[in-house]
């Protein structure tokens, strides 16, 4: 039988190819991988989760194993809302919808908001799995440049005026892939623009808790109110394997639509894990746990940057993140990150070439580096090898120019 697939599965998926390469590199024991985005396993509170699990099963076993509410476990939603209130965001448990990771939150938002051909805006570059996902819904994807201070607000204003996009999707804290964070100035400008428009702001904040230097910035949701939906996840602070994230949405009409869609798709997210997490947060101070993670990531980020300074040739630039899991490298003019990544993998080190993080640009000279999942010695070895490959590419390029 010739299986007749849906058109959306037959579209050329450029991002998918790169995703496969990244996952292969992450899975291989012989390759030092800076290509993925895995939290450091040292950050998983295995014993505490085991104790919380025992308690849930002993005290609420039947509830934990039964079907339950679409929106999620109330104590967990209260915990999330309470943490938002501590940051000055007006939020209540009724505005939180628990999802299967923030990846599902993105899917629910896209499904509820998008008709084919609708305009949306993404940062340039953006999170590649969001690009992949939004493409399933056939929108017109527009991109706005990302500067050291955040989205270029002039460009954004023009795009909003010309295209009336349904939403602008952005990651203002320790962005994936660049590690950049929006300044206060840009946040306020952005809020002015969004609040004066009919465009929703989708603020994806998986890394916000992982700040290891600089000062916390005002959440966009605080400045935008109902016109912003804020996404969060436990993947980077507790466990990605538990697959739990959430949407904070204060517009009641939109919240209801998100809930309706979630119900149809999967009834609710893993309730057992929601209860385990709520128990874990009741019994342990999450701030202490997060402090241990940020201490670890601060060391790893600084160690990687020190190695880059030592081993990368002049002309290679990189962002200096104040938190999160990534930094973003720009090669000198004329070099391609895809070529670097091909050669580097042969030497035993993987990076994520920048191309799939863009809607349109190809042959770019940028690439993403993850620092959270390698031991110091591997970081040193991997960066030294990368430095050698870059130098070799530079030498070849200089030689070919001389010949020409
Ligand atoms: C920007 C961004 N959004 C969403 C996700 C999805 O995270 P999860 O589904 O594990 O919550 C990730 C994961 O890396 C991410 O980087």
């Amino acid at each position: 039988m010739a299986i007749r697939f849906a058109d959306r599965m037959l579209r050329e998926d450029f991002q998918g190819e790169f995703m496969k390469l990244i996952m292969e590199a992450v899975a291989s024991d012989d390759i030092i991988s800076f290509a993925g985005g895995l939290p450091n396993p040292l950050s998983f509170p295995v014993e505490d989760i085991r104790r919380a699990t025992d308690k849930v099963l002993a005290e609420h076993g039947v509830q934990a194993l039964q079907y339950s509410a679409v929106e999620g476990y109330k104590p967990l939603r209260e915990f999330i809302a309470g943490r938002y209130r501590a940051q000055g965001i007006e939020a209540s448990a009724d505005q939180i919808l628990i999802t299967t990771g923030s990846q599902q939150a993105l899917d629910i938002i896209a499904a509820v908001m998008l008709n084919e051909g609708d305009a949306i805006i993404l940062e340039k570059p953006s999170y590649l799995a969001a690009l992949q996902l939004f493409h399933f819904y056939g929108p017109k994807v527009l991109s706005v440049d990302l500067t050291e201070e955040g989205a270029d607000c002039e460009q954004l204003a023009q795009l909003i005026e010309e295209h009336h996009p349904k939403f602008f999707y952005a990651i203002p804290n320790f962005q994936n892939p660049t590690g950049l964070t929006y300044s206060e100035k840009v946040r306020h400008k952005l809020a002015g623009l969004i609040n004066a428009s009919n465009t929703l702001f989708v603020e994806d904040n998986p890394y916000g808790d992982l700040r290891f230097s600089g000062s916390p910035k005002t959440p966009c949701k605080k400045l935008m109110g109902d016109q912003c939906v804020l996404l969060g996840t436990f993947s980077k602070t507790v466990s990605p394997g538990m697959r739990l994230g959430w949407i904070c949405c204060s517009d009641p009409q939109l919240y209801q639509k998100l809930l309706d869609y979630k119900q149809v798709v999967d009834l609710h997210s893993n309730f057992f894990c929601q209860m385990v997490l709520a128990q874990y947060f009741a019994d342990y101070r999450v701030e202490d746990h997060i402090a241990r993670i940020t201490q670890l990531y601060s060391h790893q980020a600084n160690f990687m940057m020190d190695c880059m300074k030592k081993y990368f040739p002049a002309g290679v630039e990189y962002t200096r993140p104040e938190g999160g899991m990534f930094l973003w490298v720009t090669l000198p003019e004329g070099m391609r990150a895809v070529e670097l990544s091909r050669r580097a993998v042969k030497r035993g080190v993987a990076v994520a070439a920048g191309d799939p993080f863009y809607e349109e640009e190809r042959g770019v000279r940028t690439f993403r580096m993850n620092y959270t999942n390698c031991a110091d010695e591997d970081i040193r070895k991997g960066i030294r090898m990368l430095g050698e490959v870059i130098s070799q590419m530079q030498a070849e390029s200089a030689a070919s120019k001389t010949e020409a």
Side-chain angles (χ1 to χ4, degrees), residues 101-103 106 127 169 171 176 204 206-207 233 235-236 243:
S102 45
Q103 194 64 32
L106 291 172
Y127 169 46
Y169 165 73
I171 308 150
N176 181 1
D204 191 5
Y207 304 103
T233 179
S235 288
K236 317 296 173 179
R243 304 305 304 125

Side-chain angles (χ1 to χ4, degrees), residues 32 34 299-301 303-305 307 311 370-384:
I32 297 172
F34 304 130
H299 165 78
Q300 291 182 294
F303 190 76
M304 182 174 269
M305 287 189 279
C307 291
Y311 296 116
N370 165 248
Y371 43 76
T372 61
N373 202 29
C374 282
D376 287 0
E377 228 3 81
D378 281 342
I379 293 182
R380 189 200 309 280
K381 208 169 136 194
I383 299 287
R384 200 176 51 218

Side-chain angles (χ1 to χ4, degrees), residues 188-257:
H188 282 85
K189 259 192 174 171
L190 182 61
L193 276 176
I194 291 290
N195 291 346
S197 75
N198 197 17
T199 295
L200 188 74
F201 185 61
V202 180
E203 178 177 14
D204 191 5
N205 190 31
Y207 304 103
D209 278 326
L210 303 181
R211 174 175 284 284
F212 46 72
S213 66
S215 52
K217 303 285 183 287
T218 311
C220 295
K221 171 87 180 143
K222 189 177 167 191
L223 304 172
M224 295 178 190
D226 290 358
Q227 215 160 325
C228 172
V229 285
L230 174 54
L231 274 46
T233 179
F234 296 113
S235 288
K236 317 296 173 179
T237 48
V238 184
S239 154
M242 290 175 105
R243 304 305 304 125
L244 288 173
W246 65 89
I247 305 173
C248 173
C249 171
S250 49
D251 181 299
Q253 209 189 349
L254 176 57
Y255 185 90
Q256 189 57 48
K257 293 281 187 240

Side-chain angles (χ1 to χ4, degrees), residues 96-322:
I96 307 295
L97 169 59
I98 302 289
T99 57
T100 302
S102 45
Q103 194 64 32
Q104 189 192 38
L106 291 172
D107 189 27
I108 295 174
I109 289 167
V112 163
M113 298 285 297
L114 296 181
N115 292 318
E116 202 151 317
D118 280 349
I120 58 171
I121 308 181
L122 267 60
E123 296 159 303
K124 186 162 77 178
S126 183
Y127 169 46
L128 83 87
L131 264 170
Q132 271 183 304
L133 178 103
F134 293 148
H135 269 277
F136 272 162
Y137 294 89
K140 177 170 169 181
V141 178
L142 308 164
S143 303
V144 64
D145 282 332
L146 198 56
T147 72
E148 288 278 326
E149 283 209 59
D152 181 323
C153 286
E154 255 101 86
Q155 267 183 32
L156 192 66
Q158 208 169 341
L159 288 174
I160 290 177
E161 196 182 315
E162 272 174 36
H163 301 274
H164 307 290
K166 282 270 179 80
F167 60 75
F168 171 35
Y169 165 73
I171 308 150
N173 296 311
F174 323 127
Q175 198 241 17
N176 181 1
T178 61
L180 292 170
T181 293
Y182 287 31
S183 68
E184 281 295 331
K185 199 169 120 200
V186 166
R187 284 165 200 257
H188 282 85
K189 259 192 174 171
L190 182 61
L193 276 176
I194 291 290
N195 291 346
S197 75
N198 197 17
T199 295
L200 188 74
F201 185 61
V202 180
E203 178 177 14
D204 191 5
N205 190 31
Y207 304 103
D209 278 326
L210 303 181
R211 174 175 284 284
F212 46 72
S213 66
S215 52
K217 303 285 183 287
T218 311
C220 295
K221 171 87 180 143
K222 189 177 167 191
L223 304 172
M224 295 178 190
D226 290 358
Q227 215 160 325
C228 172
V229 285
L230 174 54
L231 274 46
T233 179
F234 296 113
S235 288
K236 317 296 173 179
T237 48
V238 184
S239 154
M242 290 175 105
R243 304 305 304 125
L244 288 173
W246 65 89
I247 305 173
C248 173
C249 171
S250 49
D251 181 299
Q253 209 189 349
L254 176 57
Y255 185 90
Q256 189 57 48
K257 293 281 187 240
L258 299 171
L259 198 68
D260 292 349
Y261 187 78
K262 167 85 181 160
Q263 173 162 26
V264 171
V265 167
D266 66 355
L267 303 182
H268 59 74
S269 293
N270 185 323
F271 220 77
F272 178 32
C273 281
Q274 293 185 52
M275 292 182 73
V276 170
L277 269 185
Q279 189 66 56
Y280 167 70
F281 294 130
D283 292 349
Y284 301 93
R285 270 180 50 85
V286 69
E287 268 65 31
D288 295 345
H289 175 65
I290 290 173
R292 285 191 288 275
I293 302 178
T294 49
Q295 202 181 1
L296 176 64
Y297 290 179
S298 168
H299 165 78
Q300 291 182 294
N302 283 313
F303 190 76
M304 182 174 269
M305 287 189 279
D306 288 347
C307 291
M308 285 174 160
K309 203 166 156 197
K310 188 164 170 197
Y311 296 116
F312 277 5
V316 180
E317 288 171 5
Y318 42 90
T319 57
R320 287 166 177 72
E322 295 186 341

Side-chain angles (χ1 to χ4, degrees), residues 58-112:
E59 294 174 12
H60 314 279
V62 168
Q63 189 189 359
L65 300 181
Q66 186 55 283
Y67 282 119
S68 203
V70 184
E71 62 271 26
Y73 185 47
K74 183 122 190 232
L76 186 62
R77 291 185 291 119
E78 267 163 0
F79 169 79
I80 295 165
R83 289 195 84 223
Y84 279 149
R85 285 195 297 276
Q87 294 170 45
I89 299 171
E90 275 179 44
S92 66
D94 299 345
Q95 298 168 349
I96 307 295
L97 169 59
I98 302 289
T99 57
T100 302
S102 45
Q103 194 64 32
Q104 189 192 38
L106 291 172
D107 189 27
I108 295 174
I109 289 167
V112 163

Side-chain angles (χ1 to χ4, degrees), residues 21-22 24-35 344-351 373-374 378 382 385:
L21 281 179
I22 291 174
E24 276 168 14
V26 170
S28 166
D29 287 341
D30 308 328
I31 291 178
I32 297 172
S33 178
F34 304 130
V345 149
K346 283 190 194 140
R347 290 280 307 268
V349 55
V351 301
N373 202 29
C374 282
D378 281 342
M385 285 196 278

